[in-house]
Amino acid sequence: MQTVETLNEGLKRAYTLTISAKDILARVDAEVKQVAPQIRMPGFRPGKVPANLVKKMHGPALEQEALNKAVQEGVQSLIVEQKLRPAVQPAVELDEGYAPGKDAEVKISLEVLPDVPTPAIEGLKLERLTVEPTEDEIAAAVDRIASQQKSYDPAAEGHPAVEGDLVVMNFAGSVAGKPFEGGTGEAMSIEIGSGRLIPGFEDQLIGIKQGEARSVVVTFPADYPVDSLKGKEAIFEVEVTELKTPKETKADDEFAKGLGLEGIDQLRDLLKGQIEQELNGLTRTHMKRKLLDQLAASHDFPVPPSMVEAEFGQIWAQLEHEASHEADPEAARAEMEKDRADYQAIAERRVRLGLLLSEIGQQNGVEVSQQEMQRLIIQAAQQYGPKDRERFIQYVQQDPMAAAQLRAPLYEDKVVDFLFDKAEISDRAVTREELEAAIEADDDSIGSGHVHGPGCGHDHHDHDHDHDHAEKPKAKKAATKKAATKEDEAPAEAVTEEKPAKKAPAKKAAAKKADAPVEETAEAPAKLKKAPAKKKAAE
């Protein structure tokens, strides 16, 4: 094979790889020898089919396979010999004039990772804003738990149902006079005003009495998950078999014991721990934002356009999703278009910070251990059903890129923790409101002339840093916080790999129950399990 460099400009590289016809033929002959023993042909004993007949029968396929392998080996050899660090998978194109029996000319183009300058990590100074849970917060959390554990008494005879009452009903639905699958049910309990049923259903139950029958007319939403029911008007014949009124739930020792706890003090302690964990997360978010801001302000180097474009694609797709759920999707998209350049800048800074964090980690021996990786795989596998968990684990174990994608968030957190240890940190006690305001101020701080520009992050779990324009409308800002303004993580591809990692198969969205098409939301919160293993109360 012969290789000629045809482009070396910035981070872009291009080469022409020539594979001789003699090399391809030799590979075909090797393939023939390998497959000949498995060929069956009338008139020949198994494994005794002549090589020339094998070539005659399977020549084109064998030649294509030989050429593919030669190209793959050529690309890998090129990467090793030229000491390239591809930012993305190299693009490979076979010359259109190629024909069997001729030399093959292959064009290879790619972008390489930049040489990241030695990171400046000395002299970092950070402020840690600390918040202690207040008695009011703890009391409010206890009240939320109590409100979720509602109990009911039978309604007085002749009592008309009001919001908050529990209706037990039988129902039979029809569309255009015809019953539909999942439209019939018995002894279904629903709290009026809970919003569990499609819009308009619960409202029409107000005033109904035990033993009464009523026709409920509703229209299925346009985005209803059952295609045959979208936008259709339905009539439900409803019969109320029981009617119950809520009774006050007192948050005391007896209530806590009903949740499997020793008493109300233990419940308060559990909830206080949850609030502390939440506040510590906010504190870390604010510190990490400031850390990344300092890194971004002191480091500037070129980044691969392909990585930036991929990152921008993810930002834009999320914003498109958010816009589709706005009251006026077209207006939201038009507003997005005005700030396309800003989002491009956000993507660029994300990639740069990701590469920078990767370099810091590599230079300072930050690693994710095998034990930590194993825990990550097992945790990620839990999102799949029992049948798919083993397949997922095998997939991650066999695909290095999938493993890198899974490893990335933890690796980044470890790099950030390393930098926290290096930094000079001062503590300042604040209120929750002050901490949230500081985070919100970061979101708004990019406005015109802001020195460090839009930010870094990858949407792998709940994180949010980057900054919005102060001028952006709130509806748009809300969408941006979920996508473009998240900077608690840098792109996983940049942090752990020299080329983007393939994503593991996405978990399929759970389908709604077919036997209850009128339900729109999940069941009410489950009670606390007895003797919670993690000593956490579910809110």
Side-chain angles (χ1 to χ4, degrees):
M1 296 185 192
Q2 292 182 342
T3 304
V4 177
E5 185 178 68
T6 58
L7 177 66
N8 188 332
E9 183 179 301
L11 300 177
K12 295 182 178 181
R13 303 287 186 274
Y15 302 86
T16 297
L17 175 67
T18 302
I19 306 171
S20 69
K22 183 179 179 181
D23 184 10
I24 297 172
L25 181 59
R27 290 173 179 272
V28 171
D29 290 339
E31 288 286 334
V32 169
K33 289 182 181 180
Q34 184 176 349
V35 303
Q38 306 166 26
I39 299 296
R40 299 290 184 270
M41 185 180 293
F44 296 94
R45 286 181 296 166
K48 299 297 183 181
V49 180
N52 63 326
L53 289 181
V54 174
K55 276 188 180 182
K56 186 175 181 180
M57 291 177 59
H58 304 285
L62 291 174
E63 181 163 353
Q64 185 62 52
E65 180 67 19
L67 180 58
N68 288 342
K69 288 184 177 180
V71 171
Q72 291 173 9
E73 290 178 12
V75 172
Q76 290 304 315
S77 296
L78 172 67
I79 290 172
V80 172
E81 292 170 3
Q82 299 292 327
K83 298 180 180 179
L84 301 175
R85 297 190 304 156
V88 294
Q89 192 71 23
V92 179
E93 181 182 357
L94 179 64
D95 183 70
E96 293 181 358
Y98 172 74
K102 293 185 176 181
D103 293 347
E105 191 173 273
V106 181
K107 296 179 180 178
I108 303 168
S109 58
L110 69 157
E111 288 177 349
V112 297
L113 293 175
D115 292 325
V116 179
T118 301
I121 60 176
E122 301 299 331
L124 293 171
K125 293 184 179 181
L126 299 169
E127 184 178 51
R128 179 164 45 211
L129 305 183
T130 61
V131 183
E132 291 295 327
T134 66
E135 288 300 316
D136 287 345
E137 283 182 300
I138 298 171
V142 172
D143 289 343
R144 282 196 300 273
I145 293 292
S147 68
Q148 291 167 1
Q149 310 302 316
K150 291 183 179 178
S151 56
Y152 298 86
D153 287 326
E157 185 175 353
H159 171 76
V162 297
E163 188 169 315
D165 285 352
L166 187 74
V167 172
V168 182
M169 62 182 180
N170 300 330
F171 62 89
S174 61
V175 172
K178 297 181 180 179
F180 56 89
E181 184 179 359
T184 303
E186 294 183 351
M188 178 181 178
S189 298
I190 185 68
E191 178 190 339
I192 297 179
S194 65
R196 284 175 52 196
L197 306 187
I198 58 178
F201 197 111
E202 294 172 28
D203 293 341
Q204 295 179 59
L205 296 178
I206 292 177
I208 200 168
K209 300 176 182 178
Q210 183 168 317
E212 183 181 341
R214 178 176 294 184
S215 295
V216 174
V217 181
V218 293
T219 300
F220 283 95
D223 60 350
Y224 195 71
V226 179
D227 289 340
S228 61
L229 298 177
K230 289 181 178 179
K232 298 291 181 64
E233 183 179 87
I235 298 176
F236 287 88
E237 301 299 335
V238 175
E239 179 189 6
V240 174
T241 58
E242 290 183 75
L243 184 59
K244 301 179 180 182
T245 56
K247 63 179 181 180
E248 182 182 358
T249 301
K250 189 175 180 181
D252 54 15
D253 285 336
E254 183 180 351
F255 167 72
K257 289 177 181 178
L259 301 177
L261 304 175
E262 295 176 359
I264 192 66
D265 288 341
Q266 186 182 8
L267 176 59
R268 285 174 55 84
D269 288 343
L270 291 175
L271 293 174
K272 180 180 179 181
Q274 286 188 342
I275 295 169
E276 286 176 339
Q277 187 175 21
E278 176 194 355
L279 292 171
N280 289 340
L282 292 175
T283 294
R284 179 183 172 86
T285 293
H286 181 259
M287 274 183 64
K288 186 172 181 180
R289 292 181 174 199
K290 296 304 184 184
L291 170 67
L292 294 176
D293 283 348
Q294 289 186 41
L295 292 175
S298 57
H299 299 84
D300 187 21
F301 51 87
V303 293
S306 55
M307 293 182 71
V308 174
E309 194 57 33
E311 186 68 23
F312 173 78
Q314 292 196 19
I315 292 173
W316 202 254
Q318 181 64 22
L319 290 171
E320 285 276 10
H321 175 75
E322 295 295 335
S324 68
H325 289 78
E326 294 286 347
D328 188 346
E330 291 305 316
R333 290 190 182 96
E335 193 66 30
M336 284 165 49
E337 286 292 344
K338 293 180 183 178
D339 297 305
R340 179 181 284 268
D342 290 334
Y343 294 126
Q344 286 279 5
I346 287 172
E348 181 175 335
R349 197 179 102 152
R350 286 183 176 185
V351 171
R352 183 175 291 109
L353 278 169
L355 294 170
L356 185 60
L357 290 176
S358 177
E359 186 70 16
I360 293 171
Q362 291 175 26
Q363 287 190 11
N364 293 280
V366 177
E367 294 180 349
V368 173
S369 69
Q370 286 294 333
Q371 292 83 354
E372 290 171 328
M373 190 63 201
Q374 195 62 31
R375 283 197 296 270
L376 284 176
I377 295 174
I378 292 173
Q379 289 171 2
Q382 298 309 308
Q383 67 180 309
Y384 298 97
K387 293 182 180 179
D388 293 328
R389 285 175 191 162
E390 189 60 34
R391 290 170 54 196
F392 171 80
I393 291 173
Q394 291 177 356
Y395 167 77
V396 175
Q397 290 174 339
Q398 295 171 3
D399 191 325
M401 290 185 178
Q405 188 79 9
L406 192 60
R407 182 191 302 111
L410 176 59
Y411 181 82
E412 183 194 317
D413 279 343
K414 297 186 78 166
V415 174
V416 168
D417 286 337
F418 166 79
L419 292 172
F420 283 165
D421 289 340
K422 296 278 293 182
E424 178 184 331
I425 298 176
S426 59
D427 291 309
R428 178 162 65 95
V430 297
T431 64
R432 174 191 283 268
E433 290 74 21
E434 288 172 329
L435 176 56
E436 291 176 343
I439 293 173
E440 184 69 20
D442 286 340
D443 287 337
D444 289 338
S445 65
I446 189 175
S448 178
H450 195 274
V451 293
H452 56 254
C456 157
H458 213 334
D459 201 6
H460 293 293
H461 55 69
D462 192 16
H463 54 273
D464 66 326
H465 181 45
D466 264 313
H467 311 290
D468 290 311
H469 276 293
E471 299 83 4
K472 292 179 186 176
K474 287 188 177 295
K476 182 163 180 250
K477 181 183 291 184
T480 307
K481 285 181 184 176
K482 293 181 181 179
T485 69
K486 296 182 177 180
E487 195 178 74
D488 271 6
E489 291 184 10
E493 305 89 50
V495 172
T496 61
E497 289 294 312
E498 293 185 350
K499 51 187 174 182
K502 294 178 181 177
K503 291 189 176 180
K507 180 184 177 185
K508 291 184 178 179
K512 290 185 180 289
K513 294 181 180 179
D515 60 350
V518 293
E519 277 200 59
E520 282 288 282
T521 62
E523 294 293 332
K527 291 184 178 180
L528 289 169
K529 296 180 181 178
K530 292 190 176 182
K534 294 186 178 180
K535 292 188 178 295
K536 289 175 69 178
E539 288 194 41

